[in-house]
Amino acid sequence: MGINLKGRSLLTLLDFSYDEIRYLLDISRQVKQEKRAGAVTQRFVGKTLAIVFEKRSTRTRTAFETAFGEEGGHAVFLSKDDIHLGVKEDLEDTARVLGRMFDAIAFRGFKQTTVETLAKWSGVPVYNGLTDAYHPTQILADFQTIEEAFGTLRGRKLVYMGDARNNVAVSLMIGSAKMGLHYVACGPNELHPDNSLVAKCRKIGDDQGATIEISADPKKAVENADALYTDVWASMGEEDKMKERIELLRPFQVTEEVMRSTGKRDSIFLHCLPAVKGNEVTVEVIEGPASRVFEEAENRKHTIKAIMIATLL
Ligand code: CP
Ligand code: NVA
């Protein structure tokens, strides 16, 4: 049976199978090639997308907006200051109204329950553009970047260094389990992912030959890594924790020495961005030859376009 994602929302990668993620990555590779070749495609003519964001964004917002617009669709950006989001009216009512105005909704914000409520009540596909819990669209771009660097995804070793329980880290763990990677979450014990989610990912990963490891030892964790990944030490909404995080996370900074410790000459460095250079990664690494962060950022657009093609057409 062919894959059919029409009408589906993307709230977390937990809801998607290996074949479905593979399908999205294949579409993304194709739309990237089309874009590179200068092809003009108008797949979303007559369609509308609401981009409802409670938190700031550079990449995710522009990826949704340009991907939709390039295909002839009309995207409307609505920040929390523009609409009655969780104030004055029930979220369920906002969702039902948006569902009658738009063909799809992209949401970025705090609670995962908000994006779930939008999906439940709007009746249109809803895409999670980051919540406190997950950042699923990011991981598709990360995986496309790994695949472009190495030709394959399955069996690659991906090591996340730092705040290993944040939205990006946890989503990488889920994605790795689904796609058969060897994932290591390396950070201080205080910032390790939730045990029950680790157990769930190990179970998912068993079918795909994936392994999930939790570590507090950077030197050992990065041995043989194909990709080292890090993210900010304090995510949006956690700015007040920065002081304690700097102390906790300093030993997990990605430096040139850490990159060398992989023992592989072709290991790459990834970061979802925005990056605080000098905190989670040194300038030398992010600006260095192993860094793929801007390819990764560009791939946000192609993967997001792929998700919308798969769910809207
Ligand atoms: N990586 C990412 O989500 O970036 P933005 O916060 O700029 O959207
Ligand atoms: N973990 C970061 C990711 C930003 C794209 C945050 O939530 O702020």
Side-chain angles (χ1 to χ4, degrees), residues 53 56-61 108 129-130 135 138 236 271-274 300:
F53 276 24
R56 285 188 196 187
S57 166
T58 302
R59 281 142 288 268
T60 310
R61 175 186 173 171
R108 163 170 289 201
L130 181 147
H135 195 5
Q138 175 69 48
M236 287 181 275
H271 191 310
C272 55
L273 305 179
R300 297 297 310 285

Side-chain angles (χ1 to χ4, degrees), residues 39-90:
V40 177
T41 43
Q42 294 282 286
R43 284 170 279 220
F44 300 146
V45 171
K47 294 199 184 292
T48 50
L49 170 73
I51 305 177
V52 180
F53 276 24
E54 293 177 333
K55 291 177 178 170
R56 285 188 196 187
S57 166
T58 302
R59 281 142 288 268
T60 310
R61 175 186 173 171
T62 55
F64 272 110
E65 234 174 284
T66 58
F68 206 67
E70 276 169 15
E71 297 285 342
H74 182 66
V76 179
F77 182 76
L78 301 160
S79 84
K80 67 172 190 342
D81 299 321
D82 297 313
I83 57 169
H84 310 287
L85 191 68
V87 286
K88 204 156 170 193
E89 75 178 355
D90 294 344

Side-chain angles (χ1 to χ4, degrees), residues 139 160 163-174 183 185 193 229 231:
I139 277 54
Y160 181 94
D163 178 8
R165 40 98 266 166
N166 82 8
N167 42 15
V168 170
V170 156
S171 304
L172 283 169
M173 179 167 75
I174 297 166
Y183 178 77
Y229 197 120
D231 182 15

Side-chain angles (χ1 to χ4, degrees), residues 4 7 40 99 101 132 135-136 144 153 188 210 213 222 234 262 283 288 309:
N4 183 358
V40 177
M101 301 283 174
D132 290 345
H135 195 5
Q144 178 165 5
L153 209 46
E213 205 184 308
V222 304
T262 65
V283 173
I309 289 172

Side-chain angles (χ1 to χ4, degrees), residues 89-308:
E89 75 178 355
D90 294 344
L91 189 57
E92 289 82 350
D93 293 358
T94 310
R96 280 179 283 187
V97 172
L98 292 177
R100 284 170 185 253
M101 301 283 174
F102 294 93
D103 295 291
I105 301 168
F107 174 79
R108 163 170 289 201
F110 295 90
K111 293 185 189 149
Q112 182 69 12
T113 51
T114 306
V115 77
E116 287 166 0
T117 303
L118 287 174
K120 183 169 174 203
W121 289 86
S122 68
V124 296
V126 173
Y127 315 117
N128 178 359
L130 181 147
T131 59
D132 290 345
Y134 304 116
H135 195 5
T137 66
Q138 175 69 48
I139 277 54
L140 297 174
D142 303 336
F143 283 5
Q144 178 165 5
T145 313
I146 293 173
E147 216 162 45
E148 285 170 351
F150 300 108
T152 55
L153 209 46
R154 196 185 281 286
R156 295 288 159 195
K157 181 172 175 182
L158 169 63
V159 181
Y160 181 94
M161 297 272 283
D163 178 8
R165 40 98 266 166
N166 82 8
N167 42 15
V168 170
V170 156
S171 304
L172 283 169
M173 179 167 75
I174 297 166
S176 296
K178 295 270 180 179
M179 302 309 283
L181 282 82
H182 300 301
Y183 178 77
V184 185
C186 182
N189 294 331
E190 294 87 336
L191 297 172
H192 281 169
D194 178 65
N195 283 335
S196 62
L197 185 62
V198 173
K200 192 172 189 172
C201 287
R202 285 191 172 133
K203 199 154 180 279
I204 293 168
D206 282 347
D207 291 341
Q208 298 298 339
T211 57
I212 309 293
E213 205 184 308
I214 310 300
S215 167
D217 179 350
K219 194 113 190 142
K220 201 157 173 294
V222 304
E223 274 173 18
N224 274 318
D226 294 298
L228 296 194
Y229 197 120
T230 191
D231 182 15
V232 289
W233 286 347
S235 288
M236 287 181 275
E238 301 183 326
E239 289 78 7
D240 59 325
K241 297 202 163 61
M242 198 48 167
K243 208 164 156 260
E244 65 188 75
R245 291 283 171 79
I246 288 175
E247 269 174 45
L248 265 177
L249 287 162
R250 184 67 74 197
F252 300 90
Q253 184 187 54
V254 181
T255 61
E256 286 181 303
E257 195 196 328
V258 172
M259 289 301 298
R260 274 194 299 276
S261 301
T262 65
K264 285 193 169 178
R265 284 171 46 191
D266 61 350
S267 308
I268 61 169
F269 172 74
L270 297 173
H271 191 310
C272 55
L273 305 179
V276 183
K277 298 172 190 175
N279 269 9
E280 69 271 10
V281 60
T282 62
V283 173
E284 291 74 23
V285 170
I286 198 165
E287 300 290 352
S291 178
R292 294 288 181 281
V293 298
F294 295 108
E295 285 83 352
E296 187 183 4
E298 180 192 325
N299 286 338
R300 297 297 310 285
K301 187 220 274 280
H302 306 303
T303 44
I304 278 173
K305 191 184 274 187
I307 295 160
M308 295 192 290

